[in-house]
């Protein structure tokens, strides 16, 4: 069964460093997403991406965050200057369409620890 | 605006007994509702979804949920718990946005299954 894959599974980085989290969405999917889950908190929406541009972003997704689809398969989340509060599990997801009710498939997550 | 409330943060059952995980939703339009499961150190897996068809929805691993509009509820049930059901369960509501399908997660219910 096709799945969303994410790398790395775990990354430790120093505060202020740049981090890139990588994702390979399911191949025929057109919508891509990043969500995050801070330890002990809810899973939160960060951003959705369609047709090579951001379609929606949350208030969490400020200027230090960016997303990119550098080629036909990868979808990346970059955090420019990491802060301690960026420590979280980051989930990449994808879906065939953007309509409500369309299933969104998640990867296994990338656990980011900022020290 | 849309939201979900998971009424129990922890539920403990004995193996072989029924499972009930409660969820209430709030949505300004006709919602699509999902249950996702997260096993330890794993990603988010879709259990089932409701998208305005049959109100009783059957999912994987023997789980089902009933959409009750009058009660704004979407409780998850299983007739007989198995040890492998121990995990965190998220009730999720989705709604159309400008350019994608955005999920709003509940706070999660940790299900413990005892022998």
């Amino acid at each position: 069964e096709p799945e969303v894959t994410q790398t790395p599974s775990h990354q430790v980085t120093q505060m202020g460093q740049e981090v890139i989290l990588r994702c390979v969405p399911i191949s025929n999917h057109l919508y891509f997403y990043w969500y995050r889950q801070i330890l002990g908190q809810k899973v939160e929406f960060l951003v959705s991406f369609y047709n090579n541009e951001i379609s929606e972003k949350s208030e969490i997704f400020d200027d230090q965050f960016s997303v990119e689809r550098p080629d036909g398969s990868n979808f990346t989340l970059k955090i420019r200057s990491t802060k301690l509060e960026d420590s979280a599990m980051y989930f990449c997801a994808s879906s065939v369409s953007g309509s409500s009710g369309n299933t969104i498939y998640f990867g296994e997550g990338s656990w980011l620890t900022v020290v | 605006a849309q939201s979900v409330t998971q009424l129990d943060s922890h539920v403990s059952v004995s193996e072989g007994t029924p499972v009930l995980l409660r969820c209430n939703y709030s949505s300004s339009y006709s919602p699509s509702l999902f249950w996702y499961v997260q096993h330890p150190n794993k990603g988010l897996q879709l259990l089932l979804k409701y998208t305005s068809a049959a109100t009783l929805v059957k999912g994987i691993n023997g789980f089902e949920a009933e959409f009750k509009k009058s009660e704004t509820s979407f409780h998850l049930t299983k007739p007989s718990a198995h040890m492998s059901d121990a995990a965190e369960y998220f009730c999720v509501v989705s709604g159309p946005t400008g350019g994608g399908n955005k999920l709003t997660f509940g706070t999660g219910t940790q299900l413990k299954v005892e022998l």
Side-chain angles (χ1 to χ4, degrees):
Chain A
E1 185 179 318
E3 57 182 25
V4 176
T5 57
Q6 290 186 239
T7 54
S9 56
H10 190 189
Q11 183 163 352
V12 181
T13 189
Q14 295 226 322
M15 196 167 52
Q17 295 297 303
E18 177 181 283
V19 160
I20 297 176
L21 305 179
R22 292 183 166 78
C23 169
V24 179
I26 295 173
S27 63
N28 64 331
H29 286 189
L30 301 177
Y31 288 80
F32 314 118
Y33 312 85
W34 284 99
Y35 285 75
R36 80 170 183 192
Q37 184 182 27
I38 295 172
L39 190 64
Q41 297 186 25
K42 281 188 190 187
V43 178
E44 304 171 290
F45 169 80
L46 289 179
V47 66
S48 59
F49 190 88
Y50 169 71
N51 200 24
N52 279 321
E53 58 184 31
I54 290 173
S55 47
E56 186 176 357
K57 59 184 181 179
S58 72
E59 57 274 11
I60 303 167
F61 195 88
D62 60 22
D63 291 344
Q64 69 161 341
F65 290 95
S66 62
V67 289
E68 192 180 27
R69 189 154 163 83
D71 54 43
S73 60
N74 290 285
F75 178 53
T76 61
L77 174 70
K78 183 192 289 186
I79 310 175
R80 251 177 282 283
S81 177
T82 50
K83 301 180 239 185
L84 295 175
E85 54 265 36
D86 294 327
S87 295
M89 178 73 90
Y90 288 82
F91 291 105
C92 176
S94 68
S95 63
V96 170
S97 86
S99 60
S100 172
N102 197 253
T103 299
I104 293 180
Y105 295 87
F106 286 82
E108 293 203 347
S110 293
W111 183 251
L112 176 66
T113 303
V114 182
V115 297
Chain B
Q2 55 197 27
S3 65
V4 288
T5 302
Q6 290 184 247
L7 297 157
D8 307 292
S9 58
H10 292 83
V11 169
S12 185
V13 301
S14 298
E15 191 175 34
T17 64
V19 175
L20 169 64
L21 305 183
R22 298 182 294 164
C23 172
N24 287 97
Y25 71 90
S26 171
S27 179
S28 52
Y29 38 76
S30 188
S32 294
L33 292 156
F34 305 78
W35 277 96
Y36 280 85
V37 61
Q38 185 180 25
H39 287 93
N41 301 314
K42 294 288 185 183
L44 295 158
Q45 181 185 20
L46 179 69
L47 270 182
L48 49 80
K49 69 177 182 181
Y50 166 78
T51 56
S52 77
T55 55
L56 182 62
V57 182
K58 293 189 186 298
I60 61 171
N61 301 334
F63 284 94
E64 60 183 41
E66 187 170 8
F67 174 74
K68 290 187 177 179
K69 187 175 180 179
S70 60
E71 298 176 10
T72 61
S73 69
F74 190 57
H75 302 331
L76 182 70
T77 60
K78 182 173 179 177
S80 176
H82 192 271
M83 294 296 289
S84 60
D85 295 328
E88 185 145 29
Y89 292 79
F90 294 95
C91 183
V92 181
V93 63
S94 82
T97 64
N101 185 6
K102 177 181 167 183
L103 301 183
T104 301
F105 280 73
T107 49
T109 298
Q110 189 72 42
L111 176 65
K112 185 177 177 183
V113 182
E114 297 170 319
L115 285 170

